[in-house]
């Protein structure tokens, strides 16, 4: 019996997060033994160039020495106290120093917790129940965010998972990404306390928002007295040092973080204006808590990474150059083989589509050839290139990835392009 079969006897579906089961691309997931820099090895000794990097967190690659040392040092002092520690204050200072419009932060254990808590806070602050979210944006798996469009955008959402009561999603209005008219319609329809959006959407492959769209969204929130939550769990410290803020300059009322902020350990956070954040317990009445929140080992990993990023802000340009080289190589090869191909790159993030059109929203992304992606994935994996096992995910470049890694990936694609 293979390890994946054994895993399925004990763990639901053999995995602890569904995408890892390879359902949408077929085949079986390799079980990973270890990583080093840009590479991972599975338990059978196969080596892969890793374009997932734990779904984003590992911007310095696997086993980054500075992160590793910080973790080991912290572990030796004790893994958890459930009491305040200095390292939480240090990480809070390092993060907030980057964002003049964010005054206070709260650390949690995942991106899901960050967005869920940010929405509760926004509702508590505005005393308004309805929220707007965008079709194709993912903000974790809390009830009111597991919503799909009803009969079209700008409708009250219907649950996208059994177990989520329709009563819980009836306050979630859906709008279309990059379509400000659909946002206006949603504002008209409900009593909207907050809007949550990925300013650089990374969960429908990679689709950045248009600048004017985000600016108009900010204005609409001001006009209606709604809290704007920019979910930068993925894009924060990944698209650039300050996420979407460096690119668009749009000031959120609350920003949510995750992934890179924990350097590979389970960390999430939400930060916002003082006036809003002070509604949060224990200062204010909106309740939020966590036994392991601000865990010193996790905070130490996050602190090592954020400090290193702040000391080396030039890496984003280099990472973007590599991401572009990869995508341009793929584009050229696709063209030569009559394959429809478009792509987006933002900093160290890339997304590509087997689609003649560059997508601007989820419907566009959804019209891409996902069967072709499955073939691409399978054949590249066999050649030692580990891409996301779903056409709806973003790819990541890490600092140890070399130019020859990129060129080898393009060469491998040249070899398999005829077969997909
Ligand atoms: C990954 C992600 C989340 C959820 O974070 P988890 O740590 O998986 O709970 C939320 N929002 C965005 C934009 C994400 O990419």
């Amino acid at each position: 019996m293979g390890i994946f079969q054994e895993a399925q006897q004990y763990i639901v579906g053999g995995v602890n997060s569904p995408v890892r089961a390879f359902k949408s691309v077929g085949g079986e997931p390799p079980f990973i033994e270890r990583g080093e820099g840009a590479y991972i090895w599975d338990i059978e000794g196969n080596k892969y160039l890793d374009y997932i990097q734990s779904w984003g967190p590992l911007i310095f690659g696997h086993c980054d020495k500075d992160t590793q040392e910080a973790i080991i040092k912290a572990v030796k002092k004790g893994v958890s106290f459930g009491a305040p520690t200095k390292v939480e204050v240090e990480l809070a200072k390092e993060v907030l120093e980057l964002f003049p419009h964010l005054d206070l932060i709260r650390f949690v254990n995942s991106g899901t917790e960050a967005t869920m808590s940010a929405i509760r806070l926004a509702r508590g602050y505005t005393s308004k129940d309805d929220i707007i979210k965008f079709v194709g944006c993912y903000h974790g798996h809390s009830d009111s965010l597991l919503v799909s469009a009803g009969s079209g955008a700008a409708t009250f959402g219907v649950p996208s998972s059994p177990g989520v009561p329709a009563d819980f999603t009836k306050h979630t209005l859906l709008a279309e990404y990059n379509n400000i008219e659909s946002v206006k319609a949603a504002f008209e329809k409900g009593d909207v306390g907050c809007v949550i959006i990925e300013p650089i959407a990374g969960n429908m492959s990679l689709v950045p928002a248009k600048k004017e769209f985000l600016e108009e969204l900010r204005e609409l929130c001001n006009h209606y007295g709604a809290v704007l939550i920019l979910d930068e769990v993925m894009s924060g410290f990944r698209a650039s040092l300050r996420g979407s803020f460096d690119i668009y300059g749009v000031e959120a009322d609350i920003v949510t973080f995750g992934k890179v902020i924990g350097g590979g350990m389970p960390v999430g956070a939400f930060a916002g204006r003082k006036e809003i954040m002070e509604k949060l317990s224990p200062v204010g009445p909106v309740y939020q808590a966590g036994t392991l929140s601000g865990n010193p080992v996790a905070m130490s990993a996050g602190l090592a990474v954020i400090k290193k990023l702040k000391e080396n802000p030039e890496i984003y340009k280099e990472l973007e150059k590599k991401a572009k080289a990869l995508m341009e190589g793929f584009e050229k090869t696709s063209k030569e083989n009559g394959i429809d191909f478009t792509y987006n790159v933002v900093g160290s993030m890339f997304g590509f589509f087997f689609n003649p059109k560059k997508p601007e929203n989820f419907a566009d992304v959804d019209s891409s050839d996902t069967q072709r992606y499955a073939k691409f994935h399978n054949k590249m994996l066999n050649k030692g290139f580990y891409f996301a096992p779903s056409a709806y995910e973003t790819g990541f470049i890490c600092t140890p990835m070399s130019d020859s890694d990129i060129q080898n990936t393009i060469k491998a694609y040249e070899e398999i392009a005829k077969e997909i």
Side-chain angles (χ1 to χ4, degrees):
M1 182 171 37
I3 181 81
F4 189 45
Q5 284 65 40
E6 189 185 359
Q8 288 171 76
Q9 292 191 339
Y10 302 104
I11 301 167
V12 182
V15 294
N16 287 304
S17 197
V19 71
R20 298 177 198 167
F22 276 39
K23 284 242 168 162
S24 72
V25 290
E28 290 192 4
F31 277 56
I32 307 306
E33 168 103 348
R34 69 185 183 92
E36 182 71 49
Y39 291 90
I40 47 174
W41 284 261
D42 70 17
I43 54 174
E44 282 158 18
N46 300 306
K47 180 182 178 185
Y48 306 91
L49 182 58
D50 182 11
Y51 284 105
I52 302 182
Q53 294 294 332
S54 188
W55 302 96
L58 307 179
I59 194 162
F60 295 116
H62 297 277
C63 295
D64 169 60
K65 283 282 166 293
D66 299 301
T67 316
Q68 214 173 45
E69 275 167 25
I71 290 171
I72 292 165
K73 224 170 123 188
V75 164
K76 286 184 172 168
K77 293 196 219 164
V79 291
S80 181
F81 309 108
T85 56
K86 251 167 96 175
V87 63
E88 294 160 82
V89 186
E90 285 176 55
L91 182 55
K93 270 163 78 176
E94 292 290 350
V95 173
L96 292 173
E97 200 181 73
L98 290 167
F99 303 95
H101 58 292
L102 305 175
D103 306 311
L104 291 164
I105 193 166
R106 169 68 52 89
F107 289 108
V108 292
N109 305 291
S110 68
T112 295
E113 258 189 88
T115 59
M116 179 184 80
S117 308
I119 287 170
R120 181 182 304 147
L121 176 60
R123 282 172 161 157
Y125 172 74
T126 58
S127 304
K128 292 194 274 192
D129 288 342
D130 294 339
I131 66 173
I132 295 175
K133 101 170 259 295
F134 292 84
V135 178
C137 283
Y138 177 71
H139 307 290
H141 64 89
S142 69
D143 282 343
S144 63
L145 292 167
L146 279 188
V147 179
S148 56
S151 52
T155 54
F156 284 98
V158 295
S160 61
S161 164
V164 177
D167 273 356
F168 288 16
T169 58
K170 73 180 185 194
H171 292 295
T172 307
L173 285 142
L174 286 155
E176 188 177 65
Y177 204 71
N178 277 323
N179 176 350
I180 202 69
E181 292 307 319
S182 76
V183 183
K184 285 181 190 161
F187 267 112
E188 290 296 316
K189 208 162 213 158
D191 189 21
V192 176
C194 98
V195 176
I196 183 162
I197 188 167
E198 287 178 80
I200 298 159
N203 288 285
M204 45 173 159
S205 187
L206 181 66
V207 180
K210 292 179 181 161
K211 189 165 194 288
E212 322 80 73
F213 170 73
L214 268 195
E215 286 167 353
E216 286 183 301
L217 191 60
R218 174 70 274 181
E219 277 167 31
L220 280 175
C221 287
N222 293 350
H223 177 77
Y224 284 96
V227 169
L228 177 61
I229 302 173
L230 293 186
D231 180 0
E232 306 232 33
V233 168
M234 187 188 291
S235 53
F237 314 106
R238 250 298 171 190
S240 75
L241 183 57
R242 301 186 297 173
S244 78
F245 188 58
D246 284 328
I247 296 161
Y248 303 97
V250 170
E251 295 186 1
D253 300 303
I254 301 176
V255 178
T256 54
F257 298 102
K259 299 191 170 110
V260 174
I261 204 174
M265 299 292 279
V267 178
F270 55 109
R273 288 196 286 118
K274 190 172 180 191
E275 192 194 349
I276 299 173
M277 294 303 284
E278 286 192 336
K279 291 279 183 236
L280 199 62
S281 188
V283 181
V286 177
Y287 192 68
Q288 192 281 325
T291 300
L292 294 175
S293 293
N295 172 274
V297 181
M299 293 287 106
S300 300
L303 181 63
V305 169
I306 299 303
K307 268 182 152 164
K308 190 163 166 169
L309 287 171
K310 288 173 81 169
E311 285 159 14
N312 301 279
E314 72 287 349
I315 65 157
Y316 292 97
K317 283 236 158 58
E318 289 161 29
L319 293 169
E320 181 162 298
K321 235 171 74 190
K322 284 176 189 160
K324 277 196 174 134
L326 178 67
M327 290 294 99
E328 282 164 7
F330 275 19
E331 187 182 42
K332 182 167 170 280
T333 301
S334 298
K335 214 176 245 170
E336 285 163 5
N337 287 275
I339 296 169
D340 289 327
F341 184 94
T342 51
Y343 70 89
N344 284 311
V345 166
V346 188
S348 63
M349 304 162 74
F350 66 86
F352 58 92
F353 313 88
F354 293 121
N355 194 326
K357 181 181 185 235
K358 190 183 279 209
E360 292 182 358
N361 56 45
F362 183 71
D364 292 347
V365 173
D366 212 27
S367 70
S368 306
D369 188 345
T370 50
Q371 280 179 352
R372 177 169 269 164
Y373 185 85
K375 285 189 213 155
F376 163 89
H377 179 268
N378 203 288
K379 294 191 185 300
M380 290 300 279
L381 190 70
N382 285 337
K383 284 185 167 291
F385 298 89
Y386 189 74
F387 284 90
S390 157
Y392 296 88
E393 304 288 349
T394 290
F396 300 98
I397 308 288
C398 60
T399 54
M401 231 171 242
S402 67
D403 290 333
S404 65
D405 285 332
I406 303 286
Q407 290 313 317
N408 290 339
T409 313
I410 297 168
K411 251 182 242 146
Y413 180 49
E414 281 167 7
E415 285 161 20
I416 61 122
K418 278 172 281 311
E419 301 162 32
I420 65 165

